[in-house]
Amino acid sequence: MRRMKAHPAHTDATDWVAYRPDIKVLDCTVRDGGLCNDHKFDDTFVKRVYNTCVAAGVDYVELGYKSSRRLHKRDEFGLWKFCDEDDLRRIVGDKPAGPKIAIMADADRTDYKTDILPKSKSVIDCVRVACYINQVPTAIDMIKDAHDKGYETMMQLMAVSIVPEDEIKGALELTAKSPANGVYIVDSFGALYSEQVRKLTKMYLKAMAGTGKEVGFHGHNNLQLGFANTIEAIVAGANRVDATISGLGRGAGNCPMELILGFLHNPKYKLRPVLEACQDVFLPMSRDMDWGYSIPYAITGRLNRHPREAMAWRASKTPDDYITFYDKMHEEPG
Amino acid sequence: MRRMKAHPAHTDATDWVAYRPDIKVLDCTVRDGGLCNDHKFDDTFVKRVYNTCVAAGVDYVELGYKSSRRLHKRDEFGLWKFCDEDDLRRIVGDKPAGPKIAIMADADRTDYKTDILPKSKSVIDCVRVACYINQVPTAIDMIKDAHDKGYETMMQLMAVSIVPEDEIKGALELTAKSPANGVYIVDSFGALYSEQVRKLTKMYLKAMAGTGKEVGFHGHNNLQLGFANTIEAIVAGANRVDATISGLGRGAGNCPMELILGFLHNPKYKLRPVLEACQDVFLPMSRDMDWGYSIPYAITGRLNRHPREAMAWRASKTPDDYITFYDKMHEEPG
């Protein structure tokens, strides 16, 4: 199958102004952004994000995690760590007509057999199962469970920049045989360069060939490459991409929704409501909440390390002491 | 000639950890940054940038323009609009041993015959001639003049994202026949996507093939692609790249020096002095001076328009009224 490329600078002149209708955008502002504040968003904020996605024509909106109540104390986290059915319905109504509703379920942190209801009892459309490479069998079981309950499912293999190629291929083989509707390249550390994104996208597409499963990309902005890498994945053939309004997300944040919608040129997407939300909500919020590119994230990204030390540094009393952080990261093994 | 690729994700496993010694980095912090404040930097700042470049092992440092005194009133601009020999020497000494010293000369705005001294009387090593497509013949004359005086010269064809391909090719043909040592792809509007950068880089390389002239890239960060596009140019074969400390530069700024040095892996480059300058100088400066990505720049970048309206908007009393700016830009022809 020839995948029409997405955007400018193609040999075929019409591609300059065309778009690829099969690309679908998932907004994970509330889900990934929740990693910045223990998911403590109020209803006003979550409704605004949801309504913005409706107005912008975004295809999916992911509102949080389905975390185990046994493992996580309810009073330490906001509602969107758990995404109870009643909370979801308060935001999206009983029969949401806009974007599909997604939630994320972490391997080994979700009581999925009980907490993920049969589809007929839920407004959720899509369960995205997140796992590290050692959790793939658990994730596959979770995908089967959600699939059998009636959901669309996605495999989110995290931290792929530190997984040996053979193991990625093993995970992709298992995913190809599973009922998952697709698999995402998840650059958890924001450490991938564009060539690596192109290579991985081709590897994932090859592994999914003939299954009808989609390939997606979820980037982080540690090296100011969140948007750039998302474009590269699209050009290499990925059809699913994650973005967040104003790039809100853990650490250096994600691919900004306002940039990716502008790039895609699909007339169903509307940029203006996203810019309104940036202006009304996210810019004021950025004065009190630290997310987005800064040098500590560039340091962990370049070293291909988890951003946790950079996040702790940015939350410390010396967030802008780049040099001490740089020296610390270079003294400690990765 | 096979150009070894720059960096990760190559089929040849050794390329993952190799570097390309022929890549040279030019710091244009003072020159492009000067477009944010009419070149009114004090000596302390300029010396710090210069000394940082020395310590970081950067190959060239560009300190400003050689602007015509007839066309520009001296009291309206800082020293680095003119780069008088005495001013340069006060910063770099009489025999600078570190990076080569570059200045920029704008076509039609430089009294080059008189103001650019013979090389024997100047600490300047490299004259970069900037022009729009209609000024190419003037620029070629300026390049000949500077070459005859003993300088290395570079052709900087600006705003290439709005120049028809045939005209770019014409300019490249003239440049190939000129004594210029190289030619830069200059994305003045920060409007190019990576595929366009790859295509242009290949076009420029082809036009320079056999001449020994280098191809370079100068990006802007309107779409958060300043660093990403610089990498793409390198991977496609460009050997000269521009960067600025902390991305300081007109409007949305440039490719950050701290990111590109981290990418290049050449052991002669030292990242730590650049991070020190970011921490000590540029972070405090950013509280009083507006540069770097913001939504008005994303709007002009996406529309492939000059950032002047976005710069004016950011300097107005309503810099964060994105919606009014968006509507204004979409009502007015490009």
Side-chain angles (χ1 to χ4, degrees):
Chain A
M1 181 184 69
R2 177 175 172 260
R3 287 183 178 257
M4 192 180 81
K5 286 188 179 178
H7 209 259
H10 297 283
T11 42
D12 183 348
T14 61
D15 284 356
W16 278 79
V17 285
Y19 69 96
R20 222 165 73 192
D22 43 355
I23 294 172
K24 292 196 166 68
V25 176
L26 180 144
D27 175 277
C28 53
T29 306
V30 181
R31 199 274 306 161
D32 209 313
L35 298 171
C36 301
N37 71 347
D38 293 330
H39 314 276
K40 291 173 182 169
F41 293 118
D42 63 22
D43 275 15
T44 306
F45 175 83
V46 179
K47 275 184 186 164
R48 177 65 185 257
V49 171
Y50 175 70
N51 291 336
T52 299
C53 290
V54 173
V58 167
D59 303 281
Y60 291 76
V61 58
E62 186 174 66
L63 293 175
Y65 287 89
K66 264 296 189 196
S67 298
S68 166
R69 294 186 193 88
R70 291 180 301 104
L71 298 176
H72 305 93
K73 290 187 183 166
R74 286 212 82 123
D75 55 1
E76 288 177 7
F77 297 96
L79 299 175
W80 312 104
K81 178 91 172 169
F82 306 99
C83 286
D84 286 349
E85 190 66 25
D86 288 349
D87 293 325
L88 291 172
R89 286 176 189 253
R90 209 171 52 251
I91 304 298
V92 307
D94 289 330
K95 296 199 173 178
K100 289 188 181 180
I101 311 301
I103 55 96
M104 184 161 276
D106 266 336
D108 295 326
R109 292 193 188 180
T110 310
D111 298 326
Y112 56 97
K113 291 195 192 290
T114 53
D115 288 354
I116 294 180
L117 307 175
K119 170 76 194 92
S120 59
K121 296 186 177 173
S122 177
V123 291
I124 297 167
D125 297 289
C126 178
V127 174
R128 303 211 300 169
V129 176
C131 69
Y132 291 105
I133 189 68
N134 61 305
Q135 298 170 316
V136 168
T138 301
I140 297 284
D141 194 57
M142 293 170 73
I143 284 168
K144 282 181 187 157
D145 177 80
H147 173 79
D148 291 347
K149 286 171 177 164
Y151 295 97
E152 184 182 342
T153 56
M154 289 284 160
M155 168 64 120
Q156 314 284 128
L157 176 60
M158 298 187 288
V160 73
S161 61
I162 55 163
V163 181
E165 191 169 315
D166 282 354
E167 296 185 23
I168 298 177
K169 286 182 175 165
L172 293 175
E173 274 183 40
L174 291 172
T175 305
K177 290 180 205 153
S178 81
N181 296 86
V183 57
Y184 272 65
I185 300 158
V186 183
D187 182 17
S188 307
F189 301 173
L192 295 177
Y193 290 110
S194 52
E195 290 187 272
Q196 296 169 292
V197 172
R198 289 191 284 270
K199 181 180 172 182
L200 287 169
T201 304
K202 283 168 190 167
M203 185 198 303
Y204 279 53
L205 284 168
K206 191 176 168 192
M208 297 305 130
T211 66
K213 299 183 196 308
E214 296 284 1
V215 170
F217 183 78
H218 175 91
H220 278 275
N221 207 34
N222 299 58
L223 295 172
Q224 295 192 3
L225 296 173
F227 175 49
N229 283 344
T230 303
I231 294 177
E232 290 310 311
I234 287 172
V235 171
N239 271 341
R240 301 294 184 109
V241 292
D242 286 6
T244 66
I245 303 171
S246 201
L248 179 69
R250 188 178 65 179
N254 300 102
C255 171
M257 182 64 76
E258 54 277 21
L259 291 176
I260 194 69
L261 293 190
F263 174 79
L264 288 175
H265 281 189
N266 186 332
K268 80 173 176 178
Y269 296 130
K270 307 297 175 198
L271 188 54
R272 200 174 183 281
V274 180
L275 297 182
E276 283 181 315
C278 288
Q279 178 173 333
D280 298 347
V281 179
F282 290 81
L283 181 72
M285 199 167 93
S286 72
R287 294 183 186 120
D288 302 316
M289 198 166 157
D290 184 63
W291 81 87
Y293 171 80
S294 65
I295 284 176
Y297 295 121
I299 291 169
T300 62
R302 181 183 174 231
L303 294 172
N304 193 10
R305 286 169 69 164
H306 193 287
R308 68 173 71 83
E309 284 109 331
M311 293 170 70
W313 198 257
R314 293 297 295 173
S316 76
K317 287 179 183 169
T318 57
D320 298 322
D321 182 354
Y322 307 145
I323 291 297
T324 305
F325 184 72
Y326 177 85
D327 289 343
K328 181 173 133 78
M329 286 294 104
H330 284 79
E331 280 160 15
E332 294 170 1
Chain B
M1 180 185 69
R2 177 175 172 261
R3 288 184 178 256
M4 193 179 82
K5 286 190 178 177
H7 208 255
H10 298 284
T11 43
D12 183 349
T14 61
D15 283 354
W16 279 78
V17 286
Y19 71 95
R20 221 165 73 192
D22 43 354
I23 295 172
K24 292 197 166 65
V25 176
L26 181 144
D27 175 277
C28 52
T29 306
V30 181
R31 199 273 306 162
D32 209 314
L35 297 170
C36 302
N37 72 347
D38 294 330
H39 314 276
K40 292 174 181 168
F41 293 118
D42 62 22
D43 275 15
T44 307
F45 175 83
V46 180
K47 276 185 186 164
R48 178 64 185 259
V49 170
Y50 176 71
N51 291 335
T52 299
C53 291
V54 173
V58 166
D59 303 281
Y60 291 76
V61 58
E62 185 174 67
L63 293 175
Y65 287 89
K66 264 293 188 199
S67 298
S68 166
R69 294 187 192 87
R70 291 180 302 106
L71 299 176
H72 305 92
K73 291 186 183 164
R74 287 212 81 122
D75 55 0
E76 288 178 6
F77 297 96
L79 299 175
W80 312 102
K81 179 92 173 168
F82 306 99
C83 287
D84 286 349
E85 190 67 25
D86 289 349
D87 294 325
L88 291 172
R89 286 176 190 251
R90 209 170 52 250
I91 303 299
V92 308
D94 290 328
K95 297 200 172 179
K100 288 187 181 179
I101 310 301
I103 56 97
M104 184 160 275
D106 266 337
D108 295 325
R109 293 192 187 182
T110 310
D111 298 325
Y112 56 98
K113 293 197 192 285
T114 53
D115 289 354
I116 294 181
L117 307 175
K119 169 76 194 91
S120 60
K121 295 186 178 176
S122 177
V123 292
I124 297 168
D125 298 289
C126 178
V127 174
R128 303 211 301 168
V129 176
C131 68
Y132 292 105
I133 189 69
N134 60 306
Q135 299 170 316
V136 168
T138 300
I140 298 282
D141 194 56
M142 294 170 73
I143 285 167
K144 282 181 188 157
D145 177 80
H147 174 79
D148 291 346
K149 286 173 177 164
Y151 295 97
E152 184 181 339
T153 56
M154 290 282 159
M155 168 65 120
Q156 314 284 127
L157 176 60
M158 298 187 289
V160 74
S161 60
I162 55 164
V163 181
E165 192 169 314
D166 282 352
E167 297 185 23
I168 298 176
K169 285 182 177 164
L172 294 175
E173 274 182 40
L174 291 172
T175 305
K177 290 180 206 153
S178 82
N181 296 87
V183 56
Y184 272 65
I185 300 158
V186 184
D187 182 17
S188 307
F189 301 174
L192 295 177
Y193 290 110
S194 52
E195 290 187 89
Q196 296 169 291
V197 172
R198 288 192 286 270
K199 181 180 172 182
L200 287 169
T201 305
K202 283 168 190 166
M203 185 198 303
Y204 279 52
L205 283 169
K206 192 176 168 193
M208 298 304 129
T211 66
K213 299 185 196 305
E214 296 285 1
V215 170
F217 182 79
H218 176 91
H220 278 275
N221 206 35
N222 299 57
L223 295 171
Q224 295 192 2
L225 296 174
F227 175 48
N229 283 345
T230 303
I231 293 178
E232 290 310 311
I234 287 173
V235 171
N239 271 340
R240 300 293 183 109
V241 292
D242 285 6
T244 66
I245 302 173
S246 202
L248 180 70
R250 188 179 64 180
N254 300 102
C255 171
M257 183 64 75
E258 54 276 21
L259 291 176
I260 194 68
L261 292 190
F263 173 80
L264 288 174
H265 281 189
N266 186 332
K268 80 173 176 179
Y269 296 130
K270 307 298 176 197
L271 188 54
R272 199 175 184 281
V274 180
L275 297 181
E276 283 180 315
C278 289
Q279 177 173 334
D280 297 347
V281 179
F282 290 81
L283 181 72
M285 201 167 93
S286 73
R287 295 182 187 120
D288 301 316
M289 198 167 158
D290 184 62
W291 82 87
Y293 171 81
S294 66
I295 283 174
Y297 295 120
I299 291 169
T300 61
R302 180 184 174 231
L303 294 173
N304 193 10
R305 287 170 67 163
H306 193 286
R308 67 173 70 86
E309 284 108 330
M311 291 170 72
W313 199 256
R314 293 296 296 173
S316 77
K317 286 178 182 169
T318 57
D320 297 322
D321 182 353
Y322 308 145
I323 291 298
T324 305
F325 185 72
Y326 176 84
D327 289 344
K328 182 173 134 76
M329 286 294 105
H330 284 79
E331 279 159 16
E332 294 170 2

